[in-house]
Amino acid sequence: MNKFIRVLKLVLKFALKIIMLIIPVIALCYANRIIKKSEGDSLDDINISNISLQKLESHYKNTLEVKASLEDKAKNSVFSLTIVITLIFSIIGFGVDTLLLLPLIIKIIVAILICLCLIYFLMSGIINLYLLTGKLQMYFITWEDDCYDCDEENKKLYIIDIIERNTNLNLIRNNFLSCSFRCVVIGILLLTVAFLIVYIYLSISPTQGTI
């Protein structure tokens, strides 16, 4: 019985990995939940006596630079996706006469693949736009409001807490970008399969000729 349960767990774990590979948004939610659960855990392991306040402030500024870099990547991705989707519709427009010559079952399969491709591309665009809307707000050092009368040790703890929060937010941003990239890759694969199906059918069909 125990062996059966272990095998069942392995099968379910493998199935979950496949699902997360096919639907990157599920993997995104899972990864972000792990990050949120781990918030605050690293503060107990830090020896603040060996770290200078200036070095901590430098790390804090670095988290803001990483955030800006990730948002720049999101902007570039949105721009690229706009061009790709426009090209796809242009190609479909030029090849619509060829698509009409295909059998019904091939038309349905190709239409489903292209629709799924566009869904993944749109999903990628929505994820990138979410990053650019400012939903993930960074934390900033505000000595006057939060740590006006703090000694140096408490100031260090204050900055470390902000660094950890910002680092986790950047990890979440990076997960969003990774998910966006995976959606694009899956979309390209689906589009490639659709074109291969059309090409192979027209190549082997004696009545339609070749592309």
Side-chain angles (χ1 to χ4, degrees):
M1 187 67 179
N2 290 334
K3 187 177 180 180
F4 172 76
I5 293 174
R6 285 198 300 269
V7 171
L8 183 61
K9 285 182 177 179
L10 288 173
V11 171
L12 290 175
K13 190 179 290 186
F14 178 76
L16 181 61
K17 287 183 178 180
I18 295 297
I19 291 171
M20 288 194 294
L21 189 65
I22 297 173
I23 310 175
V25 174
I26 295 177
L28 170 67
C29 295
Y30 180 74
N32 288 347
R33 188 176 65 178
I34 292 174
I35 292 172
K36 289 177 181 178
K37 280 185 177 181
S38 66
E39 284 182 357
D41 293 345
S42 63
L43 288 176
D44 300 330
D45 303 326
I46 296 175
N47 184 4
I48 61 174
S49 60
N50 297 329
I51 308 173
S52 67
L53 194 60
Q54 291 75 19
K55 191 168 184 179
L56 288 174
E57 288 176 342
S58 176
H59 283 306
Y60 160 74
K61 290 177 182 177
N62 184 61
T63 62
L64 302 181
E65 291 171 1
V66 171
K67 179 243 186 187
S69 174
L70 292 172
E71 288 186 346
D72 286 341
K73 290 180 181 179
K75 290 176 185 176
N76 293 333
S77 182
V78 170
F79 178 72
S80 301
L81 278 171
T82 303
I83 295 174
V84 169
I85 292 174
T86 303
L87 286 173
I88 290 172
F89 279 112
S90 298
I91 292 170
I92 293 173
F94 282 120
V96 67
D97 293 334
T98 302
L99 293 174
L100 291 174
L101 299 175
L102 301 174
L104 180 60
I105 185 64
I106 301 294
K107 288 179 185 176
I108 293 173
I109 293 172
V110 170
I112 290 173
L113 289 172
I114 291 176
C115 286
L116 287 173
C117 164
L118 292 174
I119 288 172
Y120 275 102
F121 282 156
L122 288 173
M123 199 183 301
S124 175
I126 291 169
I127 290 170
N128 285 313
L129 289 174
Y130 177 82
L131 284 179
L132 298 174
T133 54
K135 297 291 185 181
L136 298 173
Q137 291 290 338
M138 297 290 277
Y139 292 86
F140 298 94
I141 294 175
T142 52
W143 298 119
E144 296 80 5
D145 297 331
D146 299 323
C147 205
Y148 180 73
D149 293 327
C150 294
D151 56 21
E152 185 171 338
E153 181 176 338
N154 285 322
K155 283 183 177 180
K156 287 180 180 180
L157 289 173
Y158 170 68
I159 297 178
I160 289 170
D161 181 56
I162 288 180
I163 290 172
E164 186 194 23
R165 291 172 183 269
N166 285 350
T167 300
N168 286 339
L169 285 171
N170 285 334
L171 288 173
I172 291 172
R173 284 188 179 86
N174 190 66
N175 288 342
F176 272 101
L177 283 175
S178 177
C179 178
S180 171
F181 176 75
R182 290 181 184 180
C183 287
V184 171
V185 170
I186 294 173
I188 291 172
L189 288 174
L190 290 169
L191 188 62
T192 302
V193 172
F195 282 125
L196 282 175
I197 289 173
V198 175
Y199 178 81
I200 291 171
Y201 174 79
L202 294 178
S203 296
I204 64 177
S205 174
T207 58
Q208 305 298 343
T210 59
I211 294 177

